[in-house]
Amino acid sequence: MNLRSSRAPGLRSAIRYLGAAALLLAAALFAAAATARSQGILFQDFLNLVNVQGDSVKRQAIVDDFVFRIRARGSVVTEDSTVFFLHKGNARCVQLAGDINGWKPDDSLTRIPKTDLFYLPKTLDPASRFEYKFVVDSVWTLDQLNARVVIGGYGPNSEVWMPRYRPPTEIEYRPEIAHGTLDSLNIRSRIVQRTHPVFVYLPSGYRADAQKRYPTIFVTDGGEYITLALMLNVLDNMIAEKRIRPIIAVFVDPRTDINDSQTSKRMNDYSMSDAFVNFMVREVRARLIKKYRMLNDPTQTAIMGASLGGLISTYAAFTRPDVFGLCAAQSPSFWWKKKAIIRTIASGSKKNIKFYIDTGTIRDAQAEASEMRDVLKRKGYRVHYEENPEGHNWVNWRARIPSLLSYFWGTQ
């Protein structure tokens, strides 16, 4: 719910002189202002309206009416660069935990006296998007007044779109266009001594020309790039619109059981592991390049990932530039082992690699990502770098996929 822009003429002056007997007039002013202006009444005006009323029953009635309007809108209250978090209910303590405070419930909401409404204002970039939960008397919960919910790596979170945020359209499924196909494989590794699920995206038209070979992108955290980042939709849409060349995408999942997060090996494999790089090159790629028509050309072969996946992708490209000449790192964990990957690249010889890096600016990887950007530029690498006002999450990363694909294989 966007509650911003101009105030109703004279509303603050009228409130100043209201007494208990004028409650109905105050409520009428409030309702009229909210109805007449498409953007609604400013939150401070609402607080003023409540605070001039001394009767607890009538204060609660004003709150109930306000919350009813918010619930009908289905989103949080935002005014330019300020968001107002609201929780209604009987509670001793309501705290905020989310991207903006590192998911630590350190920010407490304030109860409006003699009501059951808690609130907390926060000032943020007006183009930002972020995720959060409330901690109500030690219980983590979604915001019941906010219908905007997104699925993250650890389940559902409430979500805020600030007034100037614009969601990506490329993630939407479009039934009218041609779609690629997805092959499901299980690759048994002698190197890492386990079997991993691998999903291979083949673009529409792949089987129509038996001679054509394709650029390829290898995707770490493959299952989540499919389910949470909606990367198949992005590929289909961008290929259909001829914004990128048709490509093959290989999604390698870190779980040995795709349905069991406890089987994930990413904390070990993605921490600059030579064994994992060898698995990707000698077993995954070596098998798939025989099965599918992939270009055997490092300038047309990418590896990508987010967080630790961005770390291992960067390490894989740097140690095997003969295979991966393109590297995309999203919110990369370059802090790992006291920034070992940054030191490795800074002290190493320049390789033939083209880099893409993006990061959020809300408690994300900005410091180390920008440091790596500077190192790469000093070394003479080609690098595309982006910062966006979002946090460390899948909705941020999926919004950037069109940018990285265009950087590597754009047609415009």
Side-chain angles (χ1 to χ4, degrees), residues 1-5 34 37-43 70 73 75-80 82 126 148 160-166:
M1 178 181 182
N2 291 323
L3 301 181
R4 47 185 173 133
S5 72
R37 291 173 294 146
S38 60
Q39 298 302 323
I41 190 171
L42 291 176
F43 187 76
I70 293 172
R73 292 286 185 101
S75 60
V76 296
V77 177
T78 59
E79 297 174 8
D80 298 320
T82 302
R148 199 180 299 284
V160 170
W161 292 7
M162 294 298 283
R164 281 196 271 154
Y165 172 76
R166 297 295 178 267

Side-chain angles (χ1 to χ4, degrees), residues 70-300:
I70 293 172
R71 200 184 300 274
R73 292 286 185 101
S75 60
V76 296
V77 177
T78 59
E79 297 174 8
D80 298 320
S81 58
T82 302
V83 55
F84 293 89
F85 295 97
L86 303 174
H87 175 80
K88 187 177 187 297
N90 294 317
R92 295 185 304 277
C93 179
V94 181
Q95 297 165 300
L96 173 73
D99 290 329
I100 61 177
N101 59 10
W103 290 94
K104 297 178 181 178
D106 296 333
D107 294 309
S108 295
L109 280 68
T110 299
R111 182 198 289 269
I112 299 176
K114 300 180 182 179
T115 77
D116 63 355
L117 186 65
F118 296 76
Y119 73 99
L120 173 69
K122 285 285 185 180
T123 300
L124 297 149
D125 186 318
S128 62
R129 187 210 66 86
F130 56 92
E131 301 171 22
Y132 69 100
K133 279 189 171 79
F134 287 144
V135 183
V136 181
D137 293 338
S138 301
V139 177
W140 290 64
T141 181
L142 295 173
D143 182 350
Q144 301 303 311
L145 300 181
N146 183 3
R148 199 180 299 284
V149 176
V150 65
I151 303 299
Y154 296 95
N157 294 318
S158 295
E159 181 185 36
V160 170
W161 292 7
M162 294 298 283
R164 281 196 271 154
Y165 172 76
R166 297 295 178 267
T169 58
E170 294 91 347
I171 65 172
E172 298 171 1
Y173 179 80
R174 293 169 52 192
E176 74 277 10
I177 66 172
H179 299 275
T181 59
L182 194 68
D183 288 355
S184 298
L185 309 171
N186 286 290
I187 295 183
R188 172 64 185 172
S189 170
R190 293 181 179 179
I191 295 173
V192 297
Q193 292 295 305
R194 54 186 118 92
T195 300
H196 281 277
V198 175
F199 308 94
V200 181
Y201 168 88
L202 302 174
S204 171
Y206 175 85
R207 292 181 172 83
D209 185 349
Q211 303 302 314
K212 185 176 180 180
R213 293 189 173 273
Y214 293 82
T216 303
I217 187 165
F218 289 81
V219 186
T220 60
D221 283 313
E224 292 187 315
Y225 264 101
I226 292 173
T227 59
L228 299 181
L230 305 177
M231 190 166 173
L232 301 184
N233 290 352
V234 178
L235 288 165
D236 282 341
N237 292 337
M238 295 189 73
I239 292 171
E241 294 170 4
K242 295 182 168 50
R243 291 169 57 186
I244 60 170
R245 296 168 56 190
I247 67 171
I248 293 172
V250 178
F251 298 88
V252 183
D253 201 84
R255 296 164 290 193
T256 56
D257 180 349
I258 195 71
N259 298 310
D260 185 358
S261 62
Q262 299 300 314
T263 66
S264 176
K265 307 298 181 183
R266 71 189 307 273
M267 293 302 294
N268 179 69
D269 289 352
Y270 292 3
S271 57
M272 297 175 63
S273 166
D274 290 311
F276 180 77
V277 174
N278 288 333
F279 162 63
M280 290 289 286
V281 172
R282 298 179 187 176
E283 296 179 317
V284 177
R285 178 179 174 274
R287 173 175 169 180
L288 298 184
I289 204 167
K290 295 177 181 178
K291 182 178 178 64
Y292 301 100
R293 297 193 306 277
M294 300 175 176
L295 285 169
N296 189 16
D297 179 355
T299 68
Q300 296 299 321

Side-chain angles (χ1 to χ4, degrees), residues 280-395:
M280 290 289 286
V281 172
R282 298 179 187 176
E283 296 179 317
V284 177
R285 178 179 174 274
R287 173 175 169 180
L288 298 184
I289 204 167
K290 295 177 181 178
K291 182 178 178 64
Y292 301 100
R293 297 193 306 277
M294 300 175 176
L295 285 169
N296 189 16
D297 179 355
T299 68
Q300 296 299 321
T301 306
I303 186 168
M304 69 171 287
S307 194
L308 279 174
L311 172 67
I312 191 59
S313 296
T314 304
Y315 184 70
F318 189 74
T319 56
R320 292 302 305 266
D322 57 314
V323 176
F324 306 113
L326 306 171
C327 175
Q330 300 193 274
S331 302
S333 298
F334 290 156
W335 52 265
W336 187 264
K337 294 183 179 177
K338 299 180 179 179
K339 302 188 283 192
I341 188 63
I342 298 177
R343 290 185 278 106
T344 297
I345 291 179
S347 62
S349 60
K350 180 180 176 294
K351 311 293 178 66
N352 187 24
I353 309 167
K354 184 178 179 180
F355 285 96
Y356 169 97
I357 301 173
D358 69 53
T359 179
T361 59
I362 302 177
R363 290 182 173 264
D364 198 7
Q366 186 179 15
E368 290 79 12
S370 61
E371 183 178 351
M372 176 67 89
R373 172 203 59 196
D374 295 342
V375 167
L376 292 172
K377 287 187 173 181
R378 285 199 299 269
K379 300 286 287 188
Y381 284 99
R382 294 172 295 169
V383 56
H384 174 92
Y385 179 82
E386 288 188 14
E387 291 183 353
N388 296 280
E390 299 194 45
H392 194 85
N393 54 63
W394 282 104
V395 176

